[in-house]
């Protein structure tokens, strides 16, 4: 192996005349984006322009290594290659049925001029809606593995831009409220996607794709006031231990003419590989849950008088799913480990044995006799050592009982891995989430991961990863969620993939977890927040008895889409989107606003010429308000066509949902 490598490198150097200086422009297929690549004084830089305007100025690339020389200076260019690619691929499920993956690529093969003459490659892609690049390091005679001390990648954006950010390295992982501030005010590391409204009018979002075997990227300002990668460290401070060959995740700069334009950017999925198996068993799901009853204190996760996950309650919920036409049911608190303080029980939580009052086999049999899919639940509290001892048997037990969906949770401030405290988002965490996902695939299990690693598009390769939480969801209602939150997510968190927001709470006025929304806004979420698994999160009686007319929308709305058309939006203020149901000609529209009332005119010109649709409109009723009058909802039906528009007033903290069913 080694002698072969040596021969290879000798050949490369003999046949090429390395360049000490280089300037090259990589242009997007439509010519609007230029990624300018420069090698000067032994270092490589890139910059990005859109329509001739500078979005990212000269930004340094490279990494510091532990126990080895840094890999960023004293470089020469051995060879460069260009190629173009254009392919349209079919998704298994998602926001669009078909996605075009079209880009131009430049690959720079670099070598150090002295020392060990180590080699590495930089692969750049320019899409019509952004730029991506990654480091690729081949194995070399004197370079077989490495320890990344720091990745030096810069994203030197104009620091006058306004960034929407949540803090990194905090105990509640990604579950924070977004703040908006000029880039130059970013004091601490922030998570990606980091969406920035640039001073020249475009919107960009910096993120990563295909995160495997590496710490996840956060961003911080460096001494030059440039944003720079700040890779989540392991407990010993290293950012990643890797063996060569190794490719870093893609570093991605999504670019839109406006924030709304970003919301259909598919670069993150496109930068991932197609699946290696057929995954035909994967199916998106709508589900209810023995869940919200615990949040409002009606049930408990722990055993006892008010235990939620009993055989009896589960069978009642299964009956309700059948009556209401909701094909799935999540059951939390079914296993041993919830009694007492469950957050403290993490090290000993039992994922295999049910509590005395829960008969897994019987419940599974009952669900299957009614055609209802059970969604199993594993709350690890981040104790990975304990979980990994049981995970395969636990998945197998579920699979043997015909349970194909699992919601894992990692609700701890840390992960405990090999006895060490690690960040969820460190290389150790990333490796665990990946092991769990691949094992789930082996047992044909689909996942809804709570407290997950952020989305980096790997669901293209692993479509059984149907959704994640990974931001503040409705469990934070009752004081910690603002009406604006749902108008920020589509432009930030949701650029990384779908989210389980646990929508559809109709008991909005409850005293324990009072929602900061109107009831119409709860319906809007099914369209504004994409998720491969959508929860109808309230208790069945609120759907059957309290508001069956509004519940009809949750029954009708699909989980997977043919096409997505963002219509109107302003980060933090309002957002309106239309989506076509996959495989039909029906359309659904959702709109949400912040604490201010907002009136929108929704043109229906996306409907096909000559067709007639029945519009079922669910909007805030008269004087609706997220604090004073949450329940006021108006439901109306009328015939519409391509030339029509809807004039809708969203109440403070409100929203609307529309089902457009083709009748002719
Ligand atoms: C946090 C999850 O986000 C929530 O949905 C779940 O109910 C709790 N952990 C308990 O597992
Ligand atoms: Ca959570």
């Amino acid at each position: 192996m080694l002698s072969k490598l040596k021969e290879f490198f000798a050949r490369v150097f003999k046949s090429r005349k390395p360049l000490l200086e280089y300037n090259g422009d990589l242009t997007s297929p439509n010519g609007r984006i230029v990624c300018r690549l420069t090698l000067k004084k032994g270092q490589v830089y890139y910059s990005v322009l859109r329509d001739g305007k500078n979005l990212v100025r000269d930004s340094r690339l490279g990494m510091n290594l532990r126990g080895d020389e840094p890999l960023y200076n004293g470089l020469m260019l051995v060879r460069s290659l260009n190629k173009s690619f254009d392919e349209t691929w079919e998704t298994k499920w998602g926001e669009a049925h078909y996605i075009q993956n079209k880009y131009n690529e430049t690959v720079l093969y670099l070598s150090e001029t002295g020392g060990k003459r180590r080699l590495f490659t930089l692969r750049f892609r320019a899409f019509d809606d952004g730029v991506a690049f990654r480091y690729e390091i081949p194995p070399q005679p004197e370079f077989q593995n490495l320890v990344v001390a720091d990745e030096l990648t810069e994203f030197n954006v104009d620091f006058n831009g306004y960034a929407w950010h949540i803090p990194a390295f905090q105990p509640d992982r990604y579950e924070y409220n977004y703040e908006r501030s000029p880039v130059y005010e970013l004091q601490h590391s922030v998570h990606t996607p980091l969406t920035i409204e640039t001073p020249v009018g475009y919107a960009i979002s910096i993120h990563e794709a295909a995160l495997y075997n590496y710490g996840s990227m956060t961003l911080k300002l460096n001494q030059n006031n440039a944003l720079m990668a700040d890779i989540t460290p392991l407990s010993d401070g290293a950012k990643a231990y890797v063996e060569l060959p190794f490719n870093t995740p893609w570093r991605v700069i999504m670019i839109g003419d406006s924030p709304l334009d970003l919301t259909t950017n598919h670069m993150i999925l496109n930068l991932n590989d197609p699946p290696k198996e057929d995954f035909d068993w994967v199916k998106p799901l709508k589900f209810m849950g023995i869940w919200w009853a615990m949040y409002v204190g009606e049930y408990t996760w722990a055993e006892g008088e008010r235990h939620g996950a009993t055989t009896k309650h589960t069978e009642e919920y299964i009956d309700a799913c059948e009556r209401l036409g909701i094909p799935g049911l999540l059951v939390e608190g079914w296993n041993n480990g919830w009694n007492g303080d469950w957050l403290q029980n993490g090290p000993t939580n039992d994922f295999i044995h049910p509590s005395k009052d829960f008969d897994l086999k019987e419940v599974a049999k009952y669900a299957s006799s009614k055609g209802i899919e059970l969604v199993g639940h594993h709350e690890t509290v981040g104790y990975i050592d304990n979980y990994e001892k049981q995970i395969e048997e636990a998945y197998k037990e579920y699979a043997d009982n015909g349970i194909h969906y699992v919601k894992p949770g990692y609700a701890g401030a840390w992960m405990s891995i090999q006895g060490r405290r690690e960040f969820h988002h460190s290389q150790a965490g990333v490796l665990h989430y990946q092991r769990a996902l691949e094992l789930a695939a082996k047992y044909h299990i689909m996942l809804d991961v709570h407290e997950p690693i952020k989305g980096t598009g790997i669901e293209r390769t692993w479509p059984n990863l149907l959704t994640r939480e990974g931001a503040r969801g409705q469990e934070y209602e009752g004081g910690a969620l603002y009406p604006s939150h749902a108008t920020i997510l589509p432009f930030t968190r949701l650029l990384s993939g779908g989210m389980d927001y646990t929508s559809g709470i109709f008991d909005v006025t409850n005293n324990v977890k009072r929602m900061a929304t109107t009831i119409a806004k709860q319906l809007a979420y099914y369209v504004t927040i994409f998720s491969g698994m959508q929860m109808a999160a309230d208790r069945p009686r609120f759907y059957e008895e309290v508001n069956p007319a509004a519940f009809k929308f949750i029954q009708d709305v699909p989980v997977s889409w043919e096409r997505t058309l963002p219509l109107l939006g302003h980060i933090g203020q309002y957002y309106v989107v239309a989506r076509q149901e996959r495989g039909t000609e029906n359309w659904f529209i959702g709109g949400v606003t912040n604490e201010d009332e907002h009136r929108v005119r929704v043109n229906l010109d996306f409907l096909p010429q000559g067709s007639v649709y029945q519009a079922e409109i669910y909007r805030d009723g008269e004087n609706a308000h997220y604090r004073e009058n949450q329940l006021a909802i108006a439901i109306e039906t009328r015939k519409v066509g391509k030339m029509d528009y809807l004039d809708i007033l969203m109440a403070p903290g409100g929203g609307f949902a529309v089902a457009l069913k083709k009748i002719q």
Side-chain angles (χ1 to χ4, degrees):
M1 165 79 176
L2 269 184
S3 64
K4 272 209 186 121
L5 277 173
K6 275 189 184 153
E7 266 170 45
F8 171 76
F9 289 118
R11 259 205 327 267
V12 168
F13 283 103
K14 225 194 253 155
S15 61
R16 312 269 159 209
K17 234 208 185 108
L19 300 173
L20 293 172
E21 303 265 304
Y22 171 82
N23 275 301
D25 278 358
L26 166 65
T27 305
S28 64
N30 68 3
R32 287 184 67 193
I33 294 178
V34 173
C35 180
R36 188 153 287 163
L37 308 174
T38 313
L39 171 67
K40 56 185 177 200
K41 295 191 184 142
Q43 295 191 20
V44 189
Y45 300 84
Y46 76 97
S47 59
V48 180
L49 299 99
R50 164 97 151 192
D51 304 329
K53 290 186 184 140
N54 226 312
L55 293 181
V56 182
R57 290 177 192 269
D58 260 4
S59 297
R60 187 175 61 164
L61 295 164
M63 41 183 82
N64 283 331
L65 303 178
R66 197 182 263 187
D68 211 334
E69 294 301 312
L71 199 58
Y72 71 90
N73 52 11
L75 298 172
M76 58 187 178
L77 181 68
V78 181
R79 182 181 190 189
S80 67
L81 281 181
N82 296 315
K83 88 169 192 198
S84 295
F85 187 83
D86 184 6
E87 168 199 80
T88 295
W89 57 280
E90 185 178 6
T91 62
K92 291 267 169 219
W93 48 267
E95 295 181 270
H97 195 162
Y98 296 97
I99 292 180
Q100 189 180 19
N101 184 13
K102 185 175 179 186
Y103 58 82
N104 292 328
E105 180 178 271
T106 293
V107 192
L108 302 182
Y109 295 91
L110 298 151
S111 163
E112 291 172 310
T113 49
K116 291 191 201 162
R117 305 189 97 200
R118 292 169 305 177
L119 290 172
F120 71 97
T121 300
L122 286 167
R123 186 177 300 271
F124 289 89
R125 289 183 183 167
F127 298 77
D128 287 340
D129 50 6
V131 166
F133 57 88
R134 71 176 180 196
Y135 303 81
E136 301 176 354
I137 311 178
Q140 299 156 53
E142 289 180 72
F143 197 32
Q144 301 282 314
N145 45 52
L146 56 85
V147 184
V148 179
D150 280 307
E151 191 181 305
L152 303 174
T153 308
E154 285 180 339
F155 302 90
N156 194 0
V157 301
D158 186 336
F159 66 41
N160 295 301
Y162 275 86
W164 291 86
H165 51 97
I166 50 170
F169 312 139
Q170 299 299 312
D172 282 334
R173 308 149 307 263
Y174 304 116
E175 299 177 9
Y176 289 90
N177 286 319
Y178 280 85
E179 283 181 25
R180 177 181 188 262
S181 58
V183 170
Y184 62 77
E185 276 184 11
L186 292 177
Q187 304 283 334
H188 305 287
S189 298
V190 294
H191 281 299
T192 75
L194 181 71
T195 298
I196 301 169
E197 297 168 281
T198 72
V200 287
Y202 302 116
I204 64 175
S205 193
I206 303 172
H207 189 43
E208 60 185 317
L211 169 59
Y212 291 101
N213 192 21
Y214 201 77
S216 100
M217 181 177 74
T218 75
L219 297 168
K220 67 167 185 208
L221 282 180
N222 64 15
Q223 309 92 306
N224 312 324
N225 275 321
L227 281 178
M228 184 175 136
D230 184 15
I231 306 300
T232 306
L234 291 158
S235 49
D236 68 359
K239 307 296 168 68
Y241 287 81
V242 297
E243 275 180 26
L244 305 180
F246 180 74
N247 301 335
T248 64
W250 290 94
R251 306 304 174 210
V252 185
I253 304 160
M254 296 178 250
I255 303 173
D257 287 324
S258 64
L260 200 62
D261 194 20
L262 284 179
T263 62
T264 44
N265 191 304
H266 294 302
M267 288 174 69
I268 300 297
L269 287 173
N270 277 332
L271 289 161
N272 279 273
D273 292 334
K276 294 195 180 65
E277 305 153 34
D278 70 21
F279 283 96
D280 279 349
W281 46 273
V282 166
K283 296 222 161 38
L285 184 76
K286 212 181 284 175
F287 64 108
M288 293 208 286
I290 297 194
W291 185 75
W292 190 246
M294 273 87 93
Y295 278 86
V296 293
E298 197 171 301
Y299 285 165
T300 57
W301 278 276
E303 287 168 75
E305 251 172 47
R306 285 183 295 125
H307 186 207
T310 62
T311 304
K312 181 169 170 282
H313 290 151
T314 308
E315 293 188 351
E316 283 164 11
Y317 266 70
I318 290 169
D319 291 343
C321 284
E322 190 191 23
R323 285 196 305 277
L324 291 168
I326 300 294
L329 179 71
L330 163 73
V331 186
E332 290 201 7
W334 65 274
N335 55 317
N336 288 329
W338 292 93
N339 297 341
D341 180 350
W342 62 266
L343 283 164
Q344 298 299 318
N345 299 347
T348 54
N349 230 351
D350 179 340
F351 302 101
I352 294 153
H353 302 101
S355 55
K356 297 183 288 298
D357 50 3
F358 184 80
D359 186 334
L360 180 69
K361 290 209 173 353
E362 151 145 13
V363 159
K365 237 184 15 228
Y366 192 70
S368 118
S369 76
K370 302 273 177 169
I372 302 299
E373 297 279 357
L374 284 179
V375 180
H377 183 238
H378 290 161
E379 177 51 73
T380 68
V381 200
Y383 283 89
I384 304 309
D385 294 336
N386 176 47
Y387 187 37
E388 289 200 354
K389 270 188 240 149
Q390 306 175 59
I391 185 169
E392 180 145 19
E393 194 181 339
Y395 279 160
K396 190 170 178 307
E397 176 74 1
Y398 274 147
D400 288 348
N401 283 287
I403 297 171
H404 311 296
Y405 296 84
V406 176
K407 171 182 169 182
Y410 296 89
W414 298 95
M415 280 187 159
S416 170
I417 301 180
Q418 292 176 357
R420 287 191 287 269
R421 269 163 47 139
E422 304 286 2
F423 282 117
H424 287 61
H425 313 125
S426 63
Q427 182 187 25
V430 169
L431 284 167
H432 163 73
Y433 288 114
Q434 191 59 29
R435 280 194 295 273
L437 177 60
E438 294 185 17
L439 205 56
K442 177 173 163 194
Y443 289 97
H444 285 199
I445 283 173
M446 293 158 269
L447 297 182
D448 168 4
V449 186
H450 278 232
E451 298 78 43
I453 183 69
K454 68 187 174 187
T456 58
I458 62 168
E459 55 270 36
R460 179 176 181 193
T461 315
W462 303 95
N464 61 316
L465 180 48
L466 280 176
T467 193
R468 309 175 180 80
E469 185 200 42
R472 277 197 174 184
Q474 295 221 94
E475 65 187 8
Y476 283 86
E477 284 287 8
L481 271 193
Y482 305 118
S484 58
H485 189 59
T487 69
I488 301 169
L489 291 175
F491 304 97
T492 53
R493 157 69 182 81
L494 295 174
L495 302 183
S496 70
M499 173 177 180
D500 180 9
Y501 197 62
T502 61
S503 304
I505 303 292
F506 278 10
D507 184 16
V508 281
T509 57
N510 78 82
N511 290 326
V512 191
K513 283 252 176 197
R514 194 183 171 108
M515 321 297 285
T517 77
T518 62
I519 206 156
K521 191 176 190 180
Q522 291 288 326
L523 299 181
Y525 291 155
Y526 291 91
V527 194
T528 63
I529 300 179
F530 168 72
S531 180
M533 284 173 74
Q534 283 283 12
M535 188 170 194
D538 214 333
R539 289 142 294 167
R541 70 174 186 279
F542 284 88
Y543 299 144
E544 286 188 287
E545 291 156 30
V546 182
N547 219 328
F551 184 66
K552 182 161 183 299
F553 183 79
I554 300 183
Q555 290 173 312
D556 289 348
V557 71
V559 182
S560 189
W561 306 98
E562 192 66 35
R563 267 198 302 156
T564 289
L565 273 184
L567 298 177
L568 298 162
H570 202 293
I571 313 179
Q573 295 184 21
Y574 58 91
Y575 172 63
V576 181
V577 61
R579 303 187 198 258
Q580 184 189 352
E581 179 174 22
R582 186 164 296 202
T584 81
E585 289 187 73
N586 296 335
W587 283 80
F588 292 77
I589 309 173
V592 287
T593 183
N594 61 8
E595 43 288 315
D596 298 325
E597 114 183 340
H598 195 88
R599 188 169 166 178
V600 286
R601 176 173 163 158
V602 182
N603 292 318
L604 301 180
D605 49 8
F606 53 85
L607 293 177
Q609 183 76 44
S611 300
V612 182
Y613 279 76
Q614 164 151 297
E616 294 163 12
I617 304 163
Y618 304 76
R619 58 181 174 78
D620 291 320
E622 212 171 316
N623 297 323
H625 191 286
Y626 73 97
R627 275 196 308 249
E628 284 99 39
N629 192 14
Q630 294 164 268
L631 295 169
I633 184 165
I635 303 174
E636 60 190 287
T637 299
R638 58 182 156 109
K639 287 206 177 93
V640 295
K642 189 181 178 58
M643 302 303 283
D644 293 313
Y645 62 86
L646 307 173
D647 182 342
I648 292 179
L649 183 68
M650 293 189 271
F656 70 95
V658 181
L660 290 161
K661 297 179 182 163
K662 190 171 173 204
I663 45 183
Q664 124 201 2

